[in-house]
Amino acid sequence: MVNNNSPRQIAEIVENSLREFNDGMAHRENLSIRIGRRTTQIIRFGMTSMLMLGAALFYLIYILTSDFAVIREHMEKMSIHMSSMDSNLTSVASDIGQVQGTLTAINENITIMPAMNSSVSNMDNSLITLSGDMHSMVEQIHTMNSTVGNMAANLQLMNKQFTDMNITVGHMAGNVNQMSKPMRMLPFQ
């Protein structure tokens, strides 16, 4: 086969080939830049979503720790009232011991009529002491009732705070679902 191509024709063929190669390389470079931009957008969106989710989680942790601080404060108040009740019960036990001693003395003094007068006066004193102790115990029971009422109010407040926290967590779940919707539209799943 004879080569009828002149050097000018060969140069044009080489020039056309190089131009097409250059166009192909430029198209490949543009495609790489588009892929890089899209990857950067995906990474930015993912990092933004992670930051928002992290902020929401830190806020939830903050709410939980503040609620537990309130619960601890109420428990300390309850502990103070319980120790007060313990001392009151000890007082009642000692008063019952005094009543038992008085009844034993009455039993012994019933058999002896002349000593009955002194026994009755001792009994009067013991009953006066018992009456004072009973009044003191009634006041402490009133205090305990108000403390239990405060505790019930605090438990209702805690219940409301847990309900509010459940609602907030529900909203967060909806927000997370809402945040994930753009990722569902991307072809990289």
Side-chain angles (χ1 to χ4, degrees):
M1 204 161 54
V2 179
N3 189 359
N4 293 335
N5 294 334
S6 67
R8 174 109 174 115
Q9 289 174 342
I10 292 174
E12 286 178 9
I13 291 171
V14 169
E15 181 183 354
N16 286 336
S17 297
L18 287 175
R19 190 178 310 117
E20 288 176 6
F21 179 74
N22 190 21
D23 289 342
M25 290 305 287
H27 181 67
R28 180 175 177 227
E29 183 179 340
N30 288 335
L31 183 62
S32 296
I33 289 171
R34 283 182 56 205
I35 289 171
R37 285 181 185 160
R38 185 167 285 176
T39 304
T40 303
Q41 287 177 349
I42 290 170
I43 290 171
R44 284 181 185 159
F45 179 75
M47 289 302 292
T48 303
S49 299
M50 292 297 284
L51 284 174
M52 290 170 53
L53 183 60
L57 287 175
F58 280 116
Y59 180 68
L60 179 62
I61 290 169
Y62 171 74
I63 288 172
L64 285 174
T65 55
S66 64
D67 286 343
F68 277 118
V70 170
I71 290 170
R72 182 182 55 84
E73 182 181 315
H74 292 305
M75 292 300 260
E76 287 173 356
K77 288 180 184 177
M78 281 176 38
S79 173
I80 292 168
H81 294 300
M82 287 296 188
S83 64
S84 173
M85 282 175 52
D86 183 41
S87 64
N88 293 337
L89 290 175
T90 304
S91 174
V92 168
S94 66
D95 291 342
I96 289 175
Q98 288 177 357
V99 169
Q100 183 180 7
T102 304
L103 289 175
T104 304
I106 289 172
N107 189 28
E108 290 173 359
N109 291 328
I110 279 180
T111 58
I112 304 168
M113 293 303 273
M116 186 184 265
N117 191 21
S118 65
S119 295
V120 168
S121 69
N122 287 339
M123 190 171 80
D124 286 341
N125 291 335
S126 296
L127 287 175
I128 289 170
T129 303
L130 181 63
S131 175
D133 291 337
M134 290 300 277
H135 285 295
S136 172
M137 191 170 82
V138 166
E139 289 174 7
Q140 290 170 354
I141 286 174
H142 284 302
T143 303
M144 187 176 73
N145 284 341
S146 65
T147 302
V148 170
N150 289 338
M151 190 171 69
N154 291 334
L155 287 174
Q156 287 177 351
L157 176 65
M158 282 173 36
N159 188 19
K160 183 186 178 302
Q161 288 173 345
F162 275 116
T163 303
D164 292 342
M165 185 178 67
N166 284 338
I167 291 170
T168 303
V169 169
H171 288 296
M172 277 179 48
N175 290 341
V176 167
N177 285 336
Q178 186 69 25
M179 285 191 305
S180 68
K181 282 185 180 177
M183 290 301 290
R184 292 184 201 143
M185 291 189 293
L186 296 176
F188 303 108
Q189 293 183 358

